[in-house]
Amino acid sequence: MKKICLVLATFSTIGALPAVHAQSSVDLYGLMDAGLVQERGISKLTSGVSAGSRLGFRGTEALGDGWQAVFTLEAGLLSDTGRSDQAGQLFGRQAFVGINSPLGMLTVGRQYNLQSQALTDVADPFEGGMAGASTNLAGYSATRIDNTVRYTSPEWRGVTGTVMYGVGEHTGIAADQRSLGLALGYVNGPLTLRLARQSRGGDVGKADVNNTILAGNYNFGVATAFAGYGRNTGDGSSMFFAENPYGAAQAPAQSTDSRDAIVGVSVPLGATTLLASFIHKDDRDAANRDAQQLAIGATYALSKRSKVYVAYAHIRNRNDAAYMVGNATEVGSGDRAFNIGLRHAF
């Protein structure tokens, strides 16, 4: 009888183990992307053309009554050299911990800029990658922001709200580099809309940097239409590179007041998806350094997790503007680029 009881107790314990382990989980995930890039006389093999290569860990622990402890650690890497991306930061893509509950999600750490997310996730058929990346022209002050506290509300009839506050910690001036992000999203079947604004304190003696965008897309079945309109003010509110890549007689200057308009489309044809977009940068400064980008591309799904891609984009700069065609990882070196590559998610 004692042996029978011992066997029953053992099986009872084993049966309970999955329930215990199900309360806490850690997932390993990642993406590897590599492609050939031809731009302004340069041919190279590079990493993260359609999306940044990465290795990540995310976990949850059930705390009861619908509450969970959550974390994400995501490291950017360069598949062509094996080095770290994001200037060598170990977990430079994301690093946060928080609580998810019926009242919403609260997280703390290095997290995505809300305006940048709305631009790439909602308004851009290229999703911020390949030569057609909207981030080549459209304004944003940073892709990610350190030292942030972020709260996202529960979904209510398709509506969610997000607020994110970043503690500057850059200088002894209390307000310097502090940031505030606000976003309001709406999803209803084929329609997705998002209004987002990201503000941060300017450098000493300079105005605050503000980026605002209204982004949307609609899936018609045979195609998905994308659109966005943004307003950018302050030094650093738009992409700018001081090295004057075109060797113009007058060195370029960054825009401190601009508007961005983007329209695009994606057309699924079986395993193939065709992509196209047009972006207009309207510089409101006296120099009127406008620019337009036209991009086309395609992806072909080899499986659910692997795809090949090809893309081409051309920027037309005006009045000594110096915007460049880059991709998801690099800023580019000229006004046009061609990409072909492969990405695999795991």
Side-chain angles (χ1 to χ4, degrees):
M1 181 63 69
K2 290 182 180 180
K3 291 183 180 179
I4 293 175
C5 290
L6 180 59
V7 171
L8 291 176
T10 300
F11 277 102
S12 177
T13 301
I14 294 174
L17 283 177
V20 173
H21 286 296
Q23 294 178 4
S24 179
S25 67
V26 176
D27 296 325
L28 170 68
Y29 67 95
L31 184 147
M32 294 297 288
D33 180 296
L36 294 172
V37 173
Q38 172 70 40
E39 55 185 29
R40 203 168 186 262
I42 299 174
S43 298
K44 57 184 177 180
L45 174 65
T46 192
S47 171
V49 177
S50 72
S53 297
R54 71 203 68 172
L55 178 66
F57 305 87
R58 55 181 165 230
T60 63
E61 181 186 16
L63 304 176
D65 297 324
W67 290 65
Q68 291 180 315
V70 298
F71 80 88
T72 293
L73 291 171
E74 191 172 283
L77 55 93
L78 301 176
S79 59
D80 56 334
T81 64
R83 296 180 179 179
S84 295
D85 200 0
Q86 288 80 49
Q89 292 174 276
L90 179 58
F91 293 106
R93 291 187 60 87
Q94 295 185 86
F96 63 81
V97 64
I99 295 291
N100 190 16
S101 76
L103 303 178
M105 180 179 286
L106 180 69
T107 51
V108 179
R110 177 173 171 83
Q111 303 178 82
Y112 280 103
N113 173 339
L114 299 182
Q115 185 270 345
S116 177
Q117 276 192 311
L119 173 65
T120 59
D121 295 355
V122 182
D124 185 3
F126 288 87
E127 298 177 341
M130 294 182 275
S134 57
T135 50
N136 293 335
L137 279 187
Y140 67 101
S141 55
T143 303
R144 304 166 184 86
I145 303 177
D146 293 338
N147 309 308
T148 60
V149 179
R150 176 169 171 164
Y151 169 75
T152 300
S153 73
E155 183 271 337
W156 181 75
R157 295 187 177 181
V159 177
T160 56
T162 305
V163 58
M164 186 169 78
Y165 178 73
V167 181
E169 300 186 16
H170 284 266
T171 73
I173 301 175
D176 184 37
Q177 299 295 312
R178 289 186 179 181
S179 65
L180 176 65
L182 301 169
L184 185 65
Y186 176 71
V187 178
N188 184 2
L191 175 65
T192 299
L193 293 172
R194 195 177 303 176
L195 175 64
R197 178 181 176 87
Q198 193 77 47
S199 302
R200 65 172 174 82
D203 294 331
V204 178
K206 295 184 178 181
D208 291 350
V209 179
N210 299 294
N211 298 96
T212 306
I213 187 171
L214 176 61
N217 61 66
Y218 192 93
N219 187 344
F220 292 93
V222 295
T224 299
F226 297 81
Y229 184 79
R231 181 175 186 267
N232 319 291
T233 59
D235 289 331
S237 62
S238 292
M239 295 294 288
F240 174 74
F241 308 100
E243 62 269 21
N244 189 9
Y246 304 108
Q250 179 179 348
Q254 61 183 316
S255 172
T256 62
D257 186 3
S258 67
R259 307 293 183 270
D260 301 323
I262 176 173
V263 292
V265 64
S266 68
V267 182
L269 300 172
T272 301
T273 301
L274 304 180
L275 307 168
S277 69
F278 175 79
I279 305 172
H280 176 67
K281 164 71 73 175
D282 179 14
D283 180 21
R284 300 295 180 91
D285 288 338
N288 193 31
R289 294 183 174 91
D290 293 349
Q292 294 85 34
Q293 174 177 285
L294 179 63
I296 56 174
T299 66
Y300 181 82
L302 302 171
S303 68
K304 290 184 177 180
R305 296 186 296 178
S306 300
K307 66 174 63 175
V308 293
Y309 56 83
V310 61
Y312 173 81
H314 179 214
I315 290 178
R316 185 179 181 185
N317 288 294
R318 295 178 180 271
N319 301 324
D320 295 325
Y323 296 98
M324 297 181 289
V325 178
N327 52 59
T329 301
E330 298 177 330
V331 299
S333 62
D335 59 1
R336 64 192 68 194
F338 173 79
N339 315 147
I340 183 169
L342 168 68
R343 62 184 279 182
H344 171 72
F346 58 91

